Amino acid sequence: MASLPGVQAVAAPAAVPSPKSESSAAAPSKTTTTMPCTATSTSGAFYDLRHDIVLPPVEGGKKPKAGVQVTDYTARGHDYGANFTLNLCAAVVKPVKNVEGLDRDLWANVSAYYERNGDIFSLGQESSVLVSRGRELVLQYTGGSPCPDLSEGNGDKATKDFDEVNRRGDDNDEPMFSTQASKVRRKSATFAFLCDRDPLETTAHISFVGTPDECAYFFKVRSPHACAGVEPHKPGSVGPGGVFAIILGVALLVYMIGGVVYNRTVAHARGWRQLPNHTLWLGIWSFVRDFVIILTSMCTRFLPQRQGYRTLSTSPNGRNRDDENRLIDQLDEEWED
């Protein structure tokens, strides 16, 4: 398969959609998203599949975080005759080479592929644009290997025509793609996500559904992260708690200002009596003050007792001071006699 620098420059619009084209494709669903591999439906349901992305192994031999998958997903083809290697919202972790019908620069962006008879066929380039169509959550890869020409009964004819045009452009120094080559369809993959509420499942499971023409491939993904949730709080924005606090603060402010104006103008109150329901607030203050006093007195019982009065009531030699006083009085009476 020939590979020349000028191939991708001309073929990019037809083969690999740009992020702008992906965004425009998702526009009809009216789905908004601010982070890769996330989506918010029109009903407000938030989907976050970033936990299902396969990440490369951690450098330095460190163990990955719990729940993080470091090996690509695999899906059995069953009667198709080949198994599939995939990743979600990212390129496959295991590098692929010699991908049919793709320029060398695009090999690192392959997100799904299968191998048959020693040849590797791509099902699409990396994409992190999730689309919510009603109650369905969909992810699509496009720009894979050329689709086979089934009308000729030869599954490799499209790829051979693709390579033939490359060689012809190389020999004649002409544009790499003619009208025929620009019309070559490319393989794509569509993933439909299903919510899996099994508490024992922490990772996604991908199953191959089928392909009607060996050009468009359909997969089903069961994942606990495909369940609708609430969009997390964004830094710098007001969360639900902040909104409640603002509403409560405004209500209290209106209550205080309105009560003061009413008591001052209508009831002709002055001083603390201008406050709305000042008797209620005064009772609350009295209750709080009495409670603090009771609580303080209870806490003082647990403090070590001082020996003040007890020491004064006892003489230094250990005798009781009352006994000493009675003895002194007795001596005074005898002296008077």
Side-chain angles (χ1 to χ4, degrees):
M1 178 180 65
S3 175
L4 295 178
V7 174
Q8 181 56 24
V10 180
V16 183
S18 62
K20 183 177 180 180
S21 63
E22 290 179 347
S23 301
S24 62
S29 64
K30 298 182 180 180
T31 302
T32 59
T33 179
T34 57
M35 296 176 289
C37 211
T38 63
T40 303
S41 65
T42 54
S43 61
F46 181 74
Y47 302 93
D48 188 356
L49 299 180
R50 290 175 294 176
H51 298 283
D52 290 332
I53 301 177
V54 179
L55 301 177
V58 181
E59 297 181 359
K62 297 181 181 179
K63 294 183 179 180
K65 296 181 180 180
V68 176
Q69 186 166 341
V70 295
T71 57
D72 295 318
Y73 295 102
T74 57
R76 294 180 59 86
H78 299 289
D79 56 340
Y80 182 71
N83 296 329
F84 302 90
T85 303
L86 321 98
N87 195 358
L88 298 176
C89 296
V92 291
V93 173
K94 185 178 179 180
V96 292
K97 299 180 180 179
N98 301 325
V99 182
E100 294 294 330
L102 285 186
D103 187 74
R104 182 185 299 271
D105 296 337
L106 300 177
W107 294 351
N109 295 328
V110 174
S111 294
Y113 70 91
Y114 67 91
E115 184 176 356
R116 177 183 290 174
N117 299 327
D119 298 327
I120 296 178
F121 298 90
S122 170
L123 301 185
Q125 297 289 293
E126 175 183 351
S127 174
S128 59
V129 180
L130 290 179
V131 181
S132 177
R133 294 190 174 94
R135 300 179 61 180
E136 300 294 333
L137 186 64
V138 179
L139 174 66
Q140 290 182 314
Y141 294 153
T142 58
S145 299
C147 299
D149 189 355
L150 300 181
S151 61
E152 298 293 335
N154 188 350
D156 297 330
K157 186 177 186 300
T159 302
K160 293 180 179 178
D161 291 343
F162 180 88
D163 295 336
E164 179 64 25
V165 173
N166 285 349
R167 289 191 293 270
R168 187 167 60 250
D170 188 14
D171 297 337
N172 302 332
D173 195 18
E174 296 177 352
M176 295 306 301
F177 287 93
S178 63
T179 304
Q180 177 185 2
S182 62
K183 294 181 179 180
V184 173
R185 296 178 59 199
R186 292 185 171 273
K187 295 179 182 290
S188 64
T190 301
F191 300 85
F193 292 86
L194 301 176
C195 174
D196 188 358
R197 299 188 181 277
D198 189 350
L200 300 180
E201 295 294 342
T202 58
T203 59
H205 296 274
I206 304 178
S207 302
F208 173 62
V209 177
T211 173
D213 52 4
E214 295 191 24
C215 192
Y217 294 77
F218 299 92
F219 297 87
K220 178 176 62 178
V221 184
R222 293 185 177 273
S223 171
H225 306 111
C227 302
V230 180
E231 187 171 2
H233 174 67
K234 301 177 183 178
S237 61
V238 181
V243 174
F244 177 77
I246 292 174
I247 295 175
L248 181 61
V250 172
L252 291 177
L253 186 62
V254 172
Y255 166 75
M256 294 297 294
I257 295 177
V260 169
V261 172
Y262 175 83
N263 290 335
R264 186 177 180 83
T265 57
V266 179
H268 303 287
R270 296 294 183 270
W272 290 103
R273 295 181 178 276
Q274 298 179 85
L275 296 176
N277 300 324
H278 67 281
T279 55
L280 174 64
W281 296 111
L282 184 61
I284 294 176
W285 166 250
S286 300
F287 171 78
V288 173
R289 182 185 60 185
D290 295 340
F291 180 78
V292 171
I293 294 174
I294 295 173
L295 184 63
T296 303
S297 62
M298 293 178 61
C299 292
T300 55
R301 296 181 181 180
F302 298 97
L303 298 176
Q305 297 182 356
R306 304 177 65 179
Q307 303 297 328
Y309 294 104
R310 193 174 204 139
T311 304
L312 292 176
S313 63
T314 306
S315 61
N317 54 10
R319 292 182 297 178
N320 192 293
R321 189 170 295 276
D322 293 337
D323 296 338
E324 292 180 354
N325 292 336
R326 283 195 297 269
L327 179 60
I328 292 173
D329 294 339
Q330 183 179 359
L331 292 176
D332 289 343
E333 292 176 357
E334 293 179 353
W335 180 263
E336 291 177 356
D337 295 339

